[in-house]
């Protein structure tokens, strides 16, 4: 039976959720985190909903086998596909991440908001509901292939991808860019080069970390430490773990 000293499971389709993990560590340094990157099955965002659900079911079994006290879905796509179903099925806190459209609507002046996410995230009901509520001036931009460039740390290709993606827009008329996929958070340095300084670049990592703290506190599940992190991947650990370590250092 999980208690306050049990680990918190965190998962993503790959290395993107490492940025979320870093935010969780900053917010809750006393917690034990078990991060799982499903690299062997990435990307999720261009698969079918059933295929993604099957991957998530396997990960949940794995995390529950480690007696986790809570799960953070550090993946916008997996949250959109599975958060509601997992909450109905399991009796433990499940925290998801969603595109930061609400914070973007708060910083918006007269300009537009570009929302970058996977094709799957933008297609599903969860995003549609968010868009109906906070989407004034927002332009959804599906980015197939972009997460793979982050996985490969292919910065030059990612720069070209983003320049092409933004080419139809007058960036001086953009108020915010929403990073609606956890992988894209690692593109912030490139976005800083490309975007005018007036554009706010927003992601959901800090909000997710605050939400985890609130939920654990309300259930008296906060640990007093000492904290630690274990990284796991379904891919080739010799290749993937060094990338995860590097990104964790950078984040
Ligand atoms: N990192 C994921 C997200 O936040 C998904 C990337 C993918 O697997 O396509 O949406």
């Amino acid at each position: 039976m999980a208690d306050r000293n049990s680990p918190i499971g965190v998962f993503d389709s790959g290395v993107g959720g490492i940025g979320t993990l870093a935010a969780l560590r900053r917010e809750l340094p006393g917690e034990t985190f078990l991060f799982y990157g499903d690299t062997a099955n990435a990307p999720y965002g261009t698969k079918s909903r059933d295929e993604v659900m099957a991957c998530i079911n396997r990960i949940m079994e794995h995390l529950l086998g480690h007696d986790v006290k809570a799960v953070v879905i550090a993946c916008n796509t997996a949250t959109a596909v599975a958060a509601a179903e997992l909450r109905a099925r399991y009796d433990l806190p499940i925290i998801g991440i969603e595109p930061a459209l609400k914070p973007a609507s708060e910083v918006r002046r007269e300009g537009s908001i570009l929302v970058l996410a996977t094709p799957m995230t933008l297609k599903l009901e969860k995003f549609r509901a968010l868009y109906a509520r906070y989407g004034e001036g927002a332009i959804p931009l599906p980015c197939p292939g972009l997460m793979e460039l982050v996985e490969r740390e292919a910065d030059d290709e990612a720069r070209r991808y983003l320049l092409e993606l933004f080419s139809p827009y007058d960036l001086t008329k953009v108020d915010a860019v929403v990073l609606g996929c956890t992988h894209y958070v690692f593109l912030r340095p490139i976005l800083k080069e490309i975007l005018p300084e007036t554009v706010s670049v927003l992601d959901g990592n800090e909000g997710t970390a605050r939400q985890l703290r609130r939920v654990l506190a309300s259930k008296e599940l906060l640990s007093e430490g000492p904290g630690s992190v274990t990284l796991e991947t379904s891919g080739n650990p010799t290749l993937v773990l060094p990338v995860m370590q590097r990104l964790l250092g950078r984040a």
Side-chain angles (χ1 to χ4, degrees), residues 54 135 173 179 201 248:
K173 298 205 169 78
L179 304 177
V201 180
L248 193 56

Side-chain angles (χ1 to χ4, degrees), residues 12-14 16-17 42-46 74-78 97 118 121 147-148 180-183:
D12 180 32
S13 59
Y44 284 178
T46 46
C75 174
N76 294 260
T77 310
I97 189 165
T118 68
T121 297
M147 78 78 88
E148 289 90 323
C181 166
T182 51
H183 282 77

Side-chain angles (χ1 to χ4, degrees), residues 26-115:
R26 282 193 294 274
E27 182 72 26
L28 296 164
E31 298 292 339
T32 301
F33 292 100
L34 171 59
F35 180 87
Y36 188 89
D38 196 10
T39 319
N41 296 301
Y44 284 178
T46 46
K47 285 195 164 56
S48 76
R49 201 184 169 139
D50 286 350
E51 284 170 326
V52 174
M53 197 66 221
C55 296
I56 293 169
N57 287 337
R58 277 195 296 271
I59 296 172
M60 285 301 294
E61 288 307 310
H62 175 70
L63 295 177
L64 291 168
H66 286 270
D67 209 19
V68 293
K69 65 178 174 184
V71 170
V72 177
I73 310 175
C75 174
N76 294 260
T77 310
T79 300
V81 169
E85 197 172 324
L86 297 181
R87 284 184 190 127
R89 197 191 305 160
Y90 298 110
D91 186 24
L92 82 169
I94 310 251
I95 314 298
I97 189 165
E98 65 179 14
L101 204 51
K102 179 169 184 269
S105 73
E106 286 159 7
V107 300
R108 176 169 179 261
R109 297 172 299 269
E110 303 279 280
S112 44
I113 299 168
L114 303 180
V115 187

